[in-house]
Amino acid sequence: MGVSHALPLSDRSDVTARLREALLEADFTADGLLELLGASAYAALARSETVPALRATRGDGDLETLVRLFLLQRSVPHTRVERVLPVGPLLECGWLAEDRAPGEDGALKATVDVRPYGGPAGEDWFIVSDLGCAVGGAGGIGSRDEGVVLGVGGASTTLAGVTVRTPVASALDVGTGSGIQALHAAQHATRVTATDLNPRALHITRLTLALSGAPDADLREGSLYEPVEGETYDLIVSNPPFVISPGARLTYRDGGMGGDDLCRSIVQQAGDRLNEGGYAHFLANWQHVEGEEWTERVRSWVPRGCDAWIVQREVQDITQYAELWLRDAGDHRTDPAEYAALYDAWLDEFEARKTKGVGFGWITLRKSGAAEPSVTIEEWPHPVEQPLGETVRAHFARQDYLRAHDDAALLADHFKLAADVVQEQVGMPGAEDPEHVVLRQHRGMRRATRVDTVGAGFAGVCDGTLGAGRILDAIAQLMGEDPVALRDRTPAQIRLLVEQGFLEPVGQ
Ligand SMILES: C[S@@+](CC[C@H](N)C(=O)[O-])C[C@H]1O[C@@H](n2cnc3c(N)ncnc32)[C@H](O)[C@@H]1O
């Protein structure tokens, strides 16, 4: 796949363990880095900008040595490296190499990028990736080789954040790359299988897991679900190569199928790979095609027997989209005529597919076996509070509740207003009555929803003591309304408030 330089040996767990120990000893951790670099240089590094970090590591302390070697990929004098790392074994196993650059006598350099990554419970993990490829995105990755393995990007952490983290027996990570999703899954799954089309990625995943002190995973080479034919899992996660591009070029992002076919296939085929009650989480891109509702396009991807929650987080028009990925590959730094030809090819591809924009988002499936699965498809471009795993689990639990309760059952039940909900009045300054009332949550999806006076009054009274119907009767009396009419028209609003997590059924 076009990248030739050798990777560190993955079968020398003794040496990997010594490296882990040395890294921790020198405080080469997410917190240690933040302290050494300061918030500004630390954030710049996440944007692939290295100058502030280079300036912050001009001293000759052990942590500076490690940052320069593994994050900034500079050569460091042998004698300095020896103070902090077991140089002999690391050279033998290929974590380090002699730097033969002229004027760099006796210097060493790293062969891979090693980046501290803090786990959700404060674990000190390390993500291994190819040199210059720790973070993608604007500015371009440091390599244009087809088979390079990237480190952790925004998409990786988004997927890790939305994943439901209940303990499971088996988890599958499709397109494991640096191994970040497998590493997260190893914390709550007894057995983790990780697949990738790129053997280099599987090798790097093994290094990431070992260096992070996590158990090894069952690593399998192949496309999509081919390596796990006939097997089923409690959890499936995938941050697939979702980019809709004019042709396969970079394995980590270009799936090699036409348009959004790779995303469609991986979602559609997940139904047969999930155990009952299991979740599958995907990041995906989808085409916005002329004359077609995007919601109908993604709805058709949902496999039978699965509930789904699909959230479109962003839509880009085709020019923004092409530019994003041209930059990601560093194509903007090539000859202008070549860049123009590449740009043209992206637009030709979109024109041929009648595509006017591309949606980005998350797709969650839960195998419920329900005769009438609940499929929620929505656009929510607003900031959310990660990690959302628990919010995602609760969403599906609420769908179960709503499915099992008709309007009469809803009115007989008791509800509590969720924590952190506030009411906002919207209207002209100085006006006596608000034009409308908004309920807003400050946690999870940070939802806001418009309610009428009855909805606001109802939500305000919900502390779990009175049944919903009794509350409505009291409101009807206060407002001089017919209680029967109110009981008739309000369940739809209660349903929405429950669905969006503003109201929680007591005892759920
Ligand atoms: C965007 S990267 C995601 C890496 C990692 N899981 C993460 O969350 O950061 C996509 C990965 O899918 C792999 N890949 C590409 N085509 C694939 C295919 N057809 N089947 C399985 N994996 C594939 C790439 O090699 C790459 O490692």
Side-chain angles (χ1 to χ4, degrees):
M1 287 209 175
V3 200
S4 52
H5 77 260
L7 289 169
L9 298 179
S10 62
D11 57 357
R12 287 291 303 273
S13 51
D14 54 329
V15 174
T16 313
R18 282 181 69 185
L19 174 58
R20 173 172 170 78
E21 237 170 73
L23 297 179
L24 292 175
E25 180 72 19
D27 210 13
F28 187 62
T29 60
D31 288 346
L33 276 188
L34 185 60
E35 194 165 318
L36 173 73
L37 302 178
S40 169
Y42 187 79
L45 206 53
R47 299 191 300 268
S48 307
E49 295 292 350
T50 52
V51 173
L54 276 168
R55 293 169 66 86
T57 54
R58 284 183 287 205
D60 71 347
D62 291 351
L63 189 51
E64 281 94 332
T65 297
L66 294 175
V67 172
R68 286 198 158 234
L69 263 179
F70 290 118
L71 297 189
L72 303 172
Q73 286 133 35
R74 301 292 143 145
S75 56
V76 180
H78 200 295
T79 46
R80 242 184 95 174
V81 182
E82 244 169 10
R83 291 206 311 252
V84 54
L85 293 175
V87 167
L90 292 182
L91 274 171
E92 188 197 328
C93 289
W95 286 94
L96 296 176
E98 305 277 2
D99 192 354
R100 309 236 177 267
E104 295 274 7
D105 269 0
L108 296 170
K109 60 183 185 181
T111 57
V112 282
D113 187 293
V114 174
R115 206 150 283 234
Y117 176 74
E123 300 94 337
D124 288 316
W125 290 339
F126 300 98
I127 305 293
V128 180
S129 64
D130 268 315
L131 291 175
C133 299
V135 268
I141 59 160
S143 168
R144 304 182 78 203
D145 288 328
E146 182 192 341
V148 290
V149 177
L150 248 59
V152 173
S156 324
T157 49
T158 297
L159 178 64
V162 300
T163 301
V164 173
R165 298 287 173 200
T166 44
V168 290
S170 58
L172 170 67
D173 173 17
V174 180
T176 189
S178 66
I180 176 189
Q181 311 300 338
L183 179 57
H184 275 277
Q187 312 310 305
H188 63 108
T190 314
R191 192 164 55 79
V192 176
T193 305
T195 71
D196 207 291
L197 191 62
N198 183 357
R200 193 173 176 83
L202 297 176
H203 190 122
I204 285 188
T205 291
R206 181 157 281 140
L207 297 174
T208 290
L209 293 173
L211 198 55
S212 299
D216 199 8
D218 179 356
L219 301 174
R220 306 195 199 167
E221 186 182 330
S223 183
L224 301 182
Y225 300 109
E226 274 167 24
V228 295
E229 193 55 51
E231 295 173 33
T232 55
Y233 295 85
D234 299 323
L235 172 70
I236 298 175
V237 289
S238 186
N239 168 15
F242 51 65
V243 180
I244 299 168
S245 58
R249 228 179 96 207
L250 293 163
T251 313
Y252 71 84
R253 58 166 231 199
D254 303 312
M257 294 188 186
D260 50 19
D261 268 0
L262 186 132
C263 289
R264 180 183 51 75
S265 305
I266 200 168
V267 174
Q268 272 181 346
Q269 293 169 24
D272 293 337
R273 300 272 152 266
L274 271 181
N275 289 331
E276 209 56 34
Y279 286 94
H281 301 276
F282 304 96
L283 290 191
N285 279 188
W286 42 81
Q287 291 162 236
H288 282 225
V289 176
E290 271 169 41
E292 178 190 82
E293 282 298 327
W294 70 269
T295 48
E296 291 316 303
R297 185 176 191 84
V298 291
R299 187 184 302 279
S300 73
W301 295 3
V302 176
R304 248 185 334 147
C306 287
D307 294 332
W309 184 18
I310 301 177
V311 183
Q312 178 166 277
R313 296 285 292 155
E314 190 186 352
V315 187
Q316 288 196 348
D317 78 37
I318 51 174
T319 56
Q320 288 173 300
Y321 190 80
E323 287 159 28
L324 171 70
W325 296 110
L326 284 163
R327 282 172 181 274
D328 169 82
D331 290 333
H332 59 308
R333 295 201 208 97
T334 57
D335 162 62
E338 193 185 329
Y339 176 73
L342 287 167
Y343 199 148
D344 237 358
W346 281 76
L347 296 187
D348 282 346
E349 171 72 11
F350 287 130
E351 203 171 270
R353 294 184 180 279
K354 294 191 169 22
T355 297
K356 50 191 176 45
V358 177
F360 291 65
W362 328 316
I363 297 182
T364 302
L365 306 176
R366 186 191 52 162
K367 189 143 177 181
S368 64
E372 282 179 39
S374 90
V375 177
T376 308
I377 303 176
E378 62 176 319
E379 190 155 16
W380 190 253
H382 310 292
V384 296
E385 185 196 39
Q386 283 273 32
L388 277 168
E390 182 46 32
T391 301
V392 173
R393 192 204 57 73
H395 165 90
F396 287 96
R398 290 194 299 266
Q399 293 296 334
D400 285 346
Y401 170 86
L402 290 171
R403 202 161 25 204
H405 289 71
D406 61 13
D407 286 358
L410 212 60
L411 291 177
D413 215 343
H414 295 230
F415 298 92
K416 261 174 103 162
L417 188 65
D420 293 307
V421 174
V422 294
Q423 174 178 306
E424 292 169 2
Q425 323 256 43
V426 181
M428 287 302 289
E432 225 165 77
D433 291 318
E435 274 164 34
H436 59 262
V437 173
V438 169
L439 297 185
R440 188 179 294 280
Q441 283 172 322
H442 286 289
R443 313 304 306 263
M445 292 292 280
R446 296 194 166 129
R447 288 196 186 280
T449 194
R450 227 163 130 152
V451 283
D452 62 15
T453 337
V454 174
F458 180 86
V461 179
C462 278
D463 62 1
T465 46
L466 279 180
R470 300 256 320 267
I471 297 177
L472 286 186
D473 294 345
I475 292 176
Q477 202 174 15
L478 268 175
M479 297 177 59
E481 272 211 40
D482 173 9
V484 177
L486 203 62
R487 275 177 176 253
D488 236 26
R489 70 173 163 89
T490 317
Q493 198 170 177
I494 300 177
R495 225 165 247 290
L496 188 80
L497 290 174
V498 172
E499 185 177 10
Q500 299 199 340
F502 288 93
L503 293 179
E504 292 163 355
V506 173
Q508 286 293 303

